[in-house]
Amino acid sequence: MSVHQQVKKVTTHVLKEMKLMGEKISMITSYDYSMAKIVDRAGIDVILVGDSASNVMAGHKSTLPITLDNMIYHGAAVRRGVKRALVVVDLPFGTYQGNSKEALYSAIRIMKESGVEAVKMEGGEEIIESVNRIVSAGIPVMGHLGLMPQSIHKYGTYVVRATEDDEANKLIDDAHKLEEAGCFAIVLEKIPAKLAKEVAQSVRVPIIGIGAGSQVDGQVLVIHDMLGITQEFSPRFLRRYHNLYQEIFGAVTNYIQDVKAVDFPNEKEQY
Ligand code: KIV
């Protein structure tokens, strides 16, 4: 029986064991109770309450505007729907880059007020002091390297990262620093598959990829993208498992027609 089938509750230790056993980790985003309940019952290993909520829930162009209070709200809603998956919440832009004390304060607020089990932070060397401090307080931290959407204004574009040696070498170095600082897993976003494989083979913590090829320890996708709710976002790495935009559009169109034609509610649907 696989580790995935055996465990009643996924913890950071379970993820490390899955890596040791060569068992892939499944991770997906969720931002609300109802969706989290479905993906948890489907058997997902990790639910990320991503700051992508800023885009797909709030309609912002980037992840920068979302606040700590917003993330706590989404985290708490997800937590209430989940029994088995490990729930991780993104520390939003501006709540940890200032200094390690502020970072710890933000992480503590998330843990206390949403009841989730871990936080995720973007960055390498620059955030090591904060990672150390948060981990020392007993809060599990997931790292995030490669394309880091909170730094979009530094890059100016969402193209694939670390294609040049300098950036690739820094990424490898950063992954080791995050591991040493106590991160329990690291997300690698939109980097060459060969580089992601090298990182996954050179650290003991699980590497979760998004646009980082198959030779890593797990995969993550934004649920609105993989379900086909978002239409305008089509990077090469995205596999759409459904066209929920069309499904919802069709259902709402039928409902409107039924209301206009006084076909809804019918006699059985009233008191
Ligand atoms: O915010 C998010 O959804 C993420 C994933 C893309 C990994 O960080």
Coordinates of all heavy atoms in Angstrom, one line a residue, residues 27 29 31 48 50-53 63 90 120 122 144 149 187 189 210 220 222, ligand 1:
M27 N -0.6 18.4 -5.4 CA -0.9 19.6 -4.6 C -1.7 20.5 -5.6 O -1.5 20.5 -6.8 CB 0.4 20.3 -4.2 CG 0.3 21.7 -3.7 SD 1.9 22.1 -2.8 CE 2.1 23.8 -3.2
T29 N -4.4 24.3 -5.6 CA -4.8 25.5 -4.8 C -6.3 25.4 -4.5 O -7.0 24.7 -5.2 CB -4.6 26.8 -5.5 OG1 -5.4 26.9 -6.7 CG2 -3.1 27.0 -5.9
Y31 N -9.4 28.1 -2.3 CA -9.5 29.4 -1.6 C -10.8 29.5 -0.7 O -11.0 30.5 -0.1 CB -9.5 30.5 -2.6 CG -8.4 30.3 -3.7 CD1 -8.7 29.8 -4.9 CD2 -7.1 30.7 -3.4 CE1 -7.8 29.6 -5.9 CE2 -6.1 30.5 -4.4 CZ -6.5 29.9 -5.6 OH -5.5 29.7 -6.6
L48 N -2.9 24.2 -1.3 CA -2.2 25.5 -1.1 C -3.2 26.6 -1.3 O -3.9 26.8 -2.3 CB -1.1 25.7 -2.3 CG -0.5 27.1 -2.3 CD1 0.3 27.4 -1.1 CD2 0.3 27.3 -3.6
G50 N -3.1 29.7 -2.1 CA -2.1 30.5 -2.8 C -2.6 32.0 -2.8 O -3.7 32.3 -2.8
D51 N -1.5 32.9 -2.9 CA -1.9 34.3 -3.1 C -2.4 34.5 -4.6 O -2.7 35.6 -4.9 CB -0.7 35.2 -2.7 CG 0.6 34.9 -3.5 OD1 0.6 34.0 -4.3 OD2 1.6 35.7 -3.3
S52 N -2.4 33.4 -5.4 CA -3.1 33.5 -6.7 C -4.6 33.8 -6.5 O -5.3 34.2 -7.4 CB -2.9 32.2 -7.4 OG -3.2 31.1 -6.6
A53 N -5.0 33.7 -5.2 CA -6.4 34.2 -4.9 C -6.6 35.7 -5.3 O -7.7 36.1 -5.7 CB -6.6 34.1 -3.4
T63 N -0.3 39.2 -7.9 CA -0.6 38.8 -6.5 C -0.3 39.8 -5.5 O -0.5 39.6 -4.3 CB 0.3 37.5 -6.3 OG1 1.7 37.8 -6.4 CG2 -0.1 36.3 -7.2
D90 N 0.0 31.0 1.6 CA 1.0 31.9 1.2 C 1.1 33.1 2.1 O 0.1 33.7 2.4 CB 0.7 32.4 -0.2 CG 1.4 31.7 -1.3 OD1 2.5 31.2 -1.1 OD2 0.9 31.6 -2.4
K120 N 3.9 29.4 3.1 CA 4.8 29.4 2.0 C 5.3 30.8 1.8 O 4.6 31.8 1.9 CB 4.1 28.9 0.7 CG 5.0 28.9 -0.5 CD 4.5 28.0 -1.7 CE 3.4 28.7 -2.5 NZ 3.9 30.0 -3.2
E122 N 8.1 33.2 -0.9 CA 8.9 33.3 -2.1 C 10.2 33.9 -1.8 O 10.3 34.9 -1.1 CB 8.2 34.2 -3.1 CG 6.9 33.6 -3.6 CD 6.2 34.5 -4.7 OE1 6.7 35.5 -5.1 OE2 5.0 34.1 -5.0
H144 N 9.7 28.8 -2.1 CA 9.2 29.0 -3.5 C 10.3 29.7 -4.3 O 10.6 30.9 -4.0 CB 7.9 29.8 -3.5 CG 7.2 30.0 -4.8 ND1 5.8 30.1 -4.9 CD2 7.7 30.1 -6.1 CE1 5.5 30.2 -6.2 NE2 6.6 30.2 -6.9
P149 N 5.9 35.2 -8.5 CA 5.0 36.2 -9.0 C 5.0 37.5 -8.1 O 4.7 38.5 -8.6 CB 3.6 35.5 -8.9 CG 4.0 34.0 -9.1 CD 5.3 33.9 -8.4
V187 N 8.6 24.8 -3.7 CA 8.0 24.9 -5.0 C 9.0 25.5 -6.0 O 9.6 26.5 -5.7 CB 6.7 25.8 -4.9 CG1 6.2 26.2 -6.3 CG2 5.6 25.1 -4.1
E189 N 8.8 27.1 -9.7 CA 7.9 27.5 -10.7 C 8.6 28.0 -12.0 O 9.5 28.8 -12.0 CB 7.0 28.7 -10.2 CG 6.0 29.2 -11.2 CD 4.9 30.1 -10.5 OE1 4.9 30.2 -9.3 OE2 4.1 30.7 -11.3
I210 N 5.8 23.4 -10.8 CA 4.7 24.0 -11.6 C 5.4 24.6 -12.8 O 6.2 25.5 -12.7 CB 3.8 25.0 -10.9 CG1 2.8 25.6 -11.9 CG2 4.6 26.0 -10.1 CD1 1.6 26.4 -11.2
V220 N 2.0 20.9 -8.7 CA 0.9 21.8 -8.2 C 0.4 22.6 -9.4 O 1.1 23.0 -10.3 CB 1.4 22.8 -7.1 CG1 2.6 23.6 -7.5 CG2 0.3 23.7 -6.6
V222 N -2.9 25.7 -10.2 CA -4.0 26.5 -9.7 C -5.3 25.9 -10.1 O -5.5 25.6 -11.3 CB -3.8 28.0 -10.2 CG1 -5.0 28.8 -10.0 CG2 -2.5 28.6 -9.6
Ligands
KIV1 O1 -0.2 31.3 -5.4 C1 -0.1 30.3 -6.0 O2 -1.1 29.7 -6.4 C2 1.2 29.6 -6.1 C3 1.3 28.4 -7.0 C4 1.3 28.9 -8.4 C5 2.4 27.6 -6.6 O3 2.1 30.0 -5.5

